Every structure is written in structure tokens, then in C-alpha cells.
Amino acid sequence: MEQTEVGSSSSGYDKSQVIDVRPLRCLVPWFPAPPLGYQTPPPFVYAPPFGPFPQGYSPFYPFFNPSEPQRTSEQNYPQNNQNNGTANQDGGSGFGYNNNVDNGASPSYYTPPPAPRYNAENGDTTRSRKSSSTRGDSVVVISESEEDGYSNSKKRTANYLSSMDILESGSSQRSRSRPKKIKPNPDLKFMVPANGDRETVNDLLLKFDALRRKLAQIEDAKEVTVGIKRADLKAGTLMFNYGLRTNAKKIVGIVPGVEIGDIYFFRMEMCLVGLHAPVMAGIDYMSLKIDQEDETLAVSIVSSGGYEDDAEYGDVLIYSGQGGAANKKEGKEASDQKLERGNLALERSLRRGNDVRVIRGMKDVGNVSARIYVYDGLYRLQESWTEKGKAGTNVFKYKLVRVPGQPEAFMLWKSIQLWRDNTVSRPGVILPDLTSGTEKVPVCLVNDVDAEKGPAHFTYVPTIKYSKPINSMQPSIGCNCRSSCAPGDPNCSCVIKNNGDLPYISNGVLVIRSPFVHECGPSCLCYPNCKNQVSQNGLKIKLEVFKTQGKGWGLRSWDPIRAGTFVCEYAGQVVELSRVDVDEDDEYIFNAARSFDKNFKWNYLPEILEEEKPTDPDEVSSSPLSLRISSKSFGNVARFINHSCSPNLFWQPVLYDHNDESCPHIVFYAIKHIPPMTELTFDYGPAPGSNGNSGRRECLCKSPKCRGFFG
């Protein structure tokens, strides 16, 4: 670069001379020498953003989708695809990198878009209702509050990545002053099928949510909040780092192992199972090689109802295009949408007639600021047009029609919304409230199968009835917390009894299974306003007792249920073991001595967080409880929970009003996310010492893992 200004100055050099300056992109950063005793890190390796990369090194790739303007045409359409219609993996993982390394392509590095704004109340990210709306792989700003949304602040990414640390594990009381970075253990590998089946998909989602709950518990225990609390994104990043994912290769149509009606509380879950790759974009598309030409086709869309022109009419969806939104903070005015990226992919899918997966974002009745994502099946584009939006600019509109013959999903949710407004509008209602006001949330009695008017008479009681006075049991030592117990408080006796942690995270979800969960009770000074009392406050989910096809009466929920959520307690009369007049064939006897399925693992994998794996692989005590509860004459909704060899509930002993471990409360929690109107079941388990066919009953669960009998 030559200076045009001629002349000397007091600085002592000639400004007319050419200055030898190298471009910044050619310089290797210089770092000061580390202090004594510091372990020298690996050498800094310089490489251009898009390679080539030295042998043994790979690019750093955040999980965010890339900003579209940073891609070149070659990056958008790699030339390494075969001419067989196979999708390339450009963004196929939804994590912003090209993973066609095995095919000889160089991995690509993209600068991640801004990270999410965290809502401290519900643990989800939200977007301002006053913001603009765009869709696609670029930075997204949506007009309605929506989970997994992202703000437009450029500082969010750095803040989020700097918050990707966890507290060191060890004793029950963790050190909060020495954060430990999340990083994969190279010696730990997991084998996950590339193309998942139903069992693989369910197992991955269980592992993800178990890890997310544990990370959320660790975040709750931090004295000082650093960065953004997003346990779901942290858990997803770890899962991807360890290769815990399936269906990574994008496909058109049905995703193996994913069923219509499946629900997701986090968009990261959809990424892990291959349903919808982008973490934040509403349109997912892929590139195909068709007739020697590159073609982009839409494979899935997320419709959250947060756009001004989106319309939902049963099996018809009017979907708005992406781009062109105004942004007052950046001084950007609204503009016409362009036929590019997701818009172009939808146009080409309209011409090609391929199926597009549709995921509906529904409001969470338990958290009005969050959304639940429901897979509604395959749709086909019928027509497209442009029209003037509220800002006066042209907006692309796409009409999608649901492929006929698929099970109901979205329409079932719409029906439940109508029932909430008018319970008697539910077909087959016998009683609007089976509990006669005993529970805070009414429980419907429904029969739309036959003419039976209800089960045999019983007295509804909300909790267990002990066979001996409670004051004769071992008293519970309450905590001295003046307000709600603080997670990780070493001075809280309830925290100590729970091995140094509170058993629930801030939204009341159980973190892990354990021999006993200790809730705060009447002997605690924090009672009754503590977060550590979940099961004792009665039903919170809208349940119904219904007549099944061939299994008598059953139980299900109108509400979607998140994994780890308290469902109900098993109420009834404690039966003394010394009694000889107990009818062992009584179908309303709960026997806590029945063992769990040893293959059932619900807790997180400690190896992923670099914690030592326990020597005892069992999550709960191997010694069974000597407790039997009869709900034949006195009981609650739990008496209607049927058996299944592939259950969606498990039971957990809970103590709060006494400390007698021989007579705990038996509480049911959700194993996994449960869609509305799904029958609630648990595994009755074999009786201790049972052999042969003695005392066994035929199982009618019809699950793939059905043992053919129970009891």
C-alpha cells in the first residue's frame, strides 16, 4: 500500500515509502509464554476457513446452522454426490458443517448465527412478540414467542459457547469454583445404527433427556449463573460429539423409527433422530443430483403458528416463506421475499411432487411461553403464490395438503382443545369428575366402546392409607430452610438426604431414579412453599379413565407429558404381610416386592460427563420393598393403570411425612415423552420367587417386547 501524502513529520519516518503489511488472514496469532507449572497445550494450527486441513486435525464446528451468505456455490452443492438421488450432507446434521469426509470432501467451517436468549422462568428460549419474522438457514427472528428461538445479538454465540461447562463431579457437595469444560472422552464410543428403528430412536431420546435433566440440575446448583442456561443444547452437543444420533443422512419421506404423533419438547431432539435437521430454521432441505443437475428439495418444515400469515385448517396448511422481514434494531426495512434457499426448495418440491414432513408447534398447556413439537406426518405441496404481507412487501405462500390414510395427530390436539372448553363435549363422557372434587384437576370417566356405565364402586382417596398411626413411624428430620430449599445447599438436611442434590429441577421434573426420593414435608420450615414437594400436591395433569378394547378400564392423559413428570401416586390401603386372607389374585393389589426389569435404565450415562461409572449397574436398590397396597375399596386413578412389557411409567418410592423406609409413598413418573390420549402403563414385574406359569396372567399389551404374560 503506497501513501499518497508526501512530506516528513516529527515521527521520524518517511510517509511516502511503501509499507510492508501482510493481510491479517495470513498471520499466525502469537501467544505469551505460559506461567511456570502450566501444562503446555497442543500447538496452534492455522488453516483457512474452508481447508485444506493438516492431517490429524479437523475443523471446529458449532452445532448451529450456517449463515447462508457465507456459503459459496460449491459449498451449497458439493460435487461429490452420486447420480442416484442420494442426498448430500451439506448441513444434513443441522449442525452447520459438511460431514461428507468419507466421500473425500473437505469439512467446511461456518460462523454460527447468534445463540438463543434464555428465559430464566421456564428454561427455554423465547423471541419477542414485537420482533420481525424470517425463516430459513440464516439468522431467524420470529414474531411470536417460541421455544428454541434465537435473538439477533452477535454476542450470544460467544456467551453460549463460553457457558458450555459443567461442575466437577465427585463428592455429594460439588465444588462450584472450578468449572470443567464439556469435552468428549475419546476412549468412550457408542454404537448407534446409521438408520434407526423404533427402539433406537426411543433409546436415543431417553439418553438425551436423561443427560439434559442432569445438566439442568447442575445448572440449578450453580451459585453464579455464567452465560446461557441451555441444558438441551449442551446435551445435544455432547450427544453429537459421541456419535449418539441416527438417521443422519437426509431423506425424503418417512424417517425410520419416527412415528406420526411423536412429540418433542426440544428441537434438538428432532435433530438427533433425523426428523428435522436445523436447530432453528423452519425449512429443512437437501441437494440431489437429478438428470446431471443439482436440485434442492424441501424435506421437512416446522410450523409453529408464529407467523402473521400462517393458517391451519385441519389437513391443510398455508405456510409462509422465509426472508424479507424488517429489523428495527439493525435499521433494516422490510423487503420482498426472494426465491432462494428454503423458498426455492419448496418451489421445486411443488414441481417434483415429493412428500414433505410437517412438524406442528403447539402451545404447552403446562408452560404458556414454550412449545411442543408434534410430528403430523407427510404433506404435499399443492400450489404457491405471492401476496402482500402486513408490511406491504411480497410474501411467498405455500399450500400443503396432508397425504390421506395417515393416523391423526394435529387434529387430535385440536379436538382436545375443544374438550377443555366444554368437558361434556367429549364423546362418551359418563362422569365429568370421577374424584368428586377430591383432586384439584377433574378426572373424566369415559366409555366410547360399549354400554358399561363404569367400574365397580370404590371410595376415592388421593394418597396411601397406613395400617399403623403415622406418629408411630420413624419421624422425618425436616430442614431449617426459611424459604425454598436451594439446590446444592450443604446445610439443608433434605439436600443431604438426596445425596447432595434436590431430586427435581426447577420445573418439577425428576432427574434420576434412586432408592428413595426425599421431599420436603410438614416437619420442614420451608413447607409448604418449597419446590422440593412435587408428588404430595395432587394431580396436575388432565387425566381420564376410559374403557379399553379388551383390557377393562385404563388411564390416559389429555395433556402431553414430559419425561420425568409426576403423574400420580398409587393410593390405597397398606396390607399387612401377616394377613392370610389377602386375595393374591386381586387385580387391585400393588406389590412393591415385584422386581424391575434389569434392562430398564433411565438415568444419564455418567461416562459422558466424565464421571466414574458406578460399580453397581442397578439404578435402584436390589433389595425389594416389603409393601403391598390394595386399591380395591379405597384408591385413586392409579388403580386403573394397566400392565405393559414396554411401559411409559415407572414407580419410585418417595418419603416426606415420615422416615420409615418400609412404608413409602409409591409415585409414578413418566419414562419418556407421552403424547396426549396415549394409555399410561407400567410393568407389573414378576413376583419374587415365581417360576413356571404359577400366578401368571396373559399379557395383552401387544408391544414388540411383549413377554406374553405378567405376574
Side-chain angles (χ1 to χ4, degrees):
M1 178 172 65
E2 183 174 343
Q3 298 287 343
T4 57
E5 182 181 356
V6 180
S8 61
S9 67
S10 59
S11 60
Y13 62 87
D14 188 356
K15 293 184 179 180
S16 65
Q17 299 298 317
V18 176
I19 302 176
D20 183 16
V21 178
R22 301 180 67 191
L24 290 176
R25 64 177 178 271
C26 298
L27 299 180
V28 177
W30 176 84
F31 298 94
L36 292 176
Y38 181 81
Q39 186 177 0
T40 305
F44 179 86
V45 176
Y46 165 76
F50 302 105
F53 300 93
Q55 185 176 3
Y57 291 88
S58 60
F60 167 75
Y61 45 85
F63 54 78
F64 300 103
N65 269 11
S67 292
E68 196 70 28
Q70 293 174 309
R71 303 187 187 185
T72 64
S73 59
E74 290 79 13
Q75 293 150 4
N76 268 324
Y77 307 104
Q79 299 300 315
N80 58 353
N81 285 332
Q82 304 297 323
N83 296 336
N84 57 3
T86 303
N88 72 47
Q89 297 302 306
D90 185 13
S93 67
F95 277 55
Y97 65 94
N98 185 330
N99 58 359
N100 277 337
V101 179
D102 294 338
N103 295 332
S106 297
S108 300
Y109 170 85
Y110 300 123
T111 302
R117 181 177 68 234
Y118 176 71
N119 186 322
E121 277 188 16
N122 55 55
D124 298 324
T125 50
T126 57
R127 298 170 182 154
S128 171
R129 184 178 292 272
K130 297 180 181 180
S131 301
S132 311
S133 66
T134 61
R135 278 197 179 106
D137 285 330
S138 58
V139 176
V140 177
V141 184
I142 289 186
S143 60
E144 179 123 3
S145 173
E146 180 182 345
E147 184 178 346
D148 287 325
Y150 291 80
S151 72
N152 208 23
S153 168
K154 294 182 179 179
K155 297 181 180 179
R156 293 293 180 183
T157 299
N159 290 342
Y160 173 73
L161 293 177
S162 67
S163 71
M164 292 283 289
D165 52 45
I166 59 174
L167 299 176
E168 292 191 32
S169 59
S171 62
S172 60
Q173 299 177 10
R174 296 183 177 87
S175 169
R176 297 180 185 80
S177 60
R178 296 166 58 191
K180 188 174 185 179
K181 283 290 183 181
I182 291 182
K183 57 182 179 180
N185 183 347
D187 298 327
L188 184 62
K189 296 181 180 179
F190 299 92
M191 300 300 295
V192 180
N195 296 323
D197 53 17
R198 187 62 176 171
E199 184 176 357
T200 299
V201 166
N202 285 338
D203 184 63
L204 282 174
L205 294 176
L206 281 177
K207 284 183 170 62
F208 165 80
D209 201 71
L211 182 60
R212 182 200 63 82
R213 295 191 307 268
K214 184 59 181 179
L215 290 172
Q217 183 188 56
I218 293 173
E219 287 182 337
D220 287 346
K222 289 182 179 179
E223 293 179 347
V224 179
T225 302
V226 179
I228 302 169
K229 281 188 175 182
R230 283 303 300 267
D232 58 315
L233 299 185
K234 296 178 182 180
T237 300
L238 283 169
M239 295 279 286
F240 271 79
N241 287 344
Y242 280 109
L244 287 167
R245 59 175 302 191
T246 190
N247 300 320
K249 192 172 185 179
K250 290 189 182 183
I251 59 174
V252 174
I254 297 173
V255 176
V258 176
E259 295 182 358
I260 295 173
D262 285 351
I263 62 174
Y264 307 89
F265 284 83
F266 302 95
R267 291 183 63 161
M268 182 64 73
E269 295 173 305
M270 296 187 284
C271 299
L272 291 170
V273 300
L275 179 62
H276 185 81
V279 178
M280 62 180 184
I283 305 173
D284 188 11
Y285 54 92
M286 70 180 189
S287 179
L288 294 175
K289 190 75 107 173
I290 302 176
D291 299 330
Q292 304 300 317
E293 294 184 1
D294 290 314
E295 187 91 84
T296 55
L297 295 179
V299 294
S300 63
I301 61 173
V302 176
S303 173
S304 296
Y307 297 84
E308 61 181 46
D309 297 317
D310 283 354
E312 298 171 333
Y313 306 102
D315 290 343
V316 177
L317 172 65
I318 307 300
Y319 193 75
S320 300
Q322 66 176 33
N327 192 317
K328 295 181 179 179
K329 292 184 178 180
E330 295 185 354
K332 179 182 177 182
E333 296 182 355
S335 60
D336 293 340
Q337 291 185 350
K338 298 179 180 179
L339 193 60
E340 60 184 10
R341 303 196 307 274
N343 296 340
L344 179 60
L346 287 172
E347 286 290 342
R348 288 177 172 172
S349 290
L350 171 62
R351 177 164 53 88
R352 293 284 180 184
N354 67 281
D355 294 339
V356 177
R357 299 185 295 271
V358 170
I359 299 100
R360 307 266 194 168
M362 309 294 294
K363 291 184 178 180
D364 186 353
V365 294
N367 187 347
V368 294
S369 61
R371 291 191 179 276
I372 302 172
Y373 299 96
V374 185
Y375 175 43
D376 196 31
L378 301 178
Y379 281 65
R380 285 182 186 162
L381 285 138
Q382 193 174 82
E383 60 178 311
S384 66
W385 66 94
T386 59
E387 62 182 45
K388 294 291 183 182
K390 292 183 179 180
T393 58
N394 289 328
V395 177
F396 287 104
K397 309 295 292 186
Y398 301 92
K399 180 180 179 180
L400 295 97
V401 179
R402 196 167 191 256
V403 175
Q406 302 179 93
E408 285 190 359
F410 172 69
M411 289 305 297
L412 177 62
W413 285 66
K414 302 299 285 186
S415 298
I416 294 174
Q417 289 179 0
L418 297 176
W419 302 344
R420 293 183 191 281
D421 298 333
N422 184 12
T423 303
V424 295
S425 66
R426 165 77 171 99
V429 170
I430 299 174
L431 285 175
D433 185 11
L434 177 70
T435 76
S436 301
T438 304
E439 300 284 3
K440 298 177 182 178
V441 180
V443 179
C444 287
L445 179 64
V446 178
N447 185 356
D448 52 8
V449 174
D450 53 34
E452 188 175 355
K453 295 301 181 182
H457 175 76
F458 72 99
T459 301
Y460 195 98
V461 293
T463 188
I464 192 172
K465 295 174 67 68
Y466 301 109
S467 57
K468 53 185 177 181
I470 192 171
N471 56 14
S472 65
M473 300 181 186
Q474 183 180 349
S476 176
I477 301 175
C479 64
N480 296 320
C481 303
R482 295 294 179 179
S483 58
S484 183
C485 295
D489 183 358
N491 298 316
C492 175
S493 61
C494 292
V495 168
I496 295 173
K497 285 187 287 187
N498 286 293
N499 296 321
D501 290 305
L502 288 180
Y504 305 101
I505 52 180
S506 57
N507 59 357
V509 168
L510 185 69
V511 178
I512 61 173
R513 293 171 66 215
S514 57
F516 290 94
V517 164
H518 295 267
E519 294 186 0
C520 293
S523 60
C524 299
L525 294 182
C526 61
Y527 190 85
N529 300 315
C530 185
K531 293 182 293 185
N532 185 32
Q533 48 182 84
V534 174
S535 66
Q536 55 193 286
N537 291 330
L539 300 182
K540 294 183 179 179
I541 299 171
K542 178 64 176 176
L543 301 170
E544 76 169 25
V545 174
F546 72 105
K547 187 65 180 296
T548 68
Q549 292 280 0
K551 295 187 296 182
W553 297 91
L555 186 68
R556 60 190 175 194
S557 170
W558 290 11
D559 298 334
I561 305 175
R562 187 189 295 240
T565 298
F566 160 72
V567 176
C568 64
E569 177 182 349
Y570 197 98
Q573 292 178 302
V574 174
V575 179
E576 293 289 347
L577 297 178
S578 58
R579 284 179 53 183
V580 296
D581 59 339
V582 176
D583 183 6
E584 290 294 344
D585 293 328
D586 182 1
E587 60 182 359
Y588 295 107
I589 286 283
F590 175 89
N591 190 349
R594 296 182 184 273
S595 60
F596 282 104
D597 180 1
K598 296 298 182 181
N599 295 321
F600 172 47
K601 302 298 180 186
W602 192 69
N603 294 351
Y604 72 102
L605 296 173
E607 308 97 297
I608 294 183
L609 298 183
E610 297 187 334
E611 297 178 354
E612 291 186 6
K613 189 175 181 178
T615 55
D616 183 4
D618 290 340
E619 296 177 350
V620 296
S621 175
S622 57
S623 58
L625 293 170
S626 299
L627 175 67
R628 289 186 296 180
I629 306 172
S630 173
S631 59
K632 185 174 183 179
S633 300
F634 297 87
N636 66 344
V637 292
R639 73 197 297 270
F640 299 106
I641 303 177
N642 286 317
H643 163 81
S644 175
C645 300
S646 299
N648 49 30
L649 302 180
F650 70 89
W651 58 269
Q652 165 72 56
V654 177
L655 294 171
Y656 56 82
D657 50 356
H658 61 82
N659 204 39
D660 188 345
E661 294 185 353
S662 66
C663 197
H665 296 265
I666 301 299
V667 179
F668 289 96
Y669 299 89
I671 292 176
K672 56 186 178 180
H673 301 333
I674 306 174
M677 305 304 288
T678 301
E679 183 177 3
L680 304 178
T681 58
F682 77 98
D683 190 346
Y684 290 0
S690 62
N691 51 51
N693 294 321
S694 176
R696 294 182 175 182
R697 301 179 185 177
E698 181 184 1
C699 179
L700 303 174
C701 71
K702 298 180 180 180
S703 74
K705 294 184 176 181
C706 182
R707 300 188 295 266
F709 57 86
F710 66 90

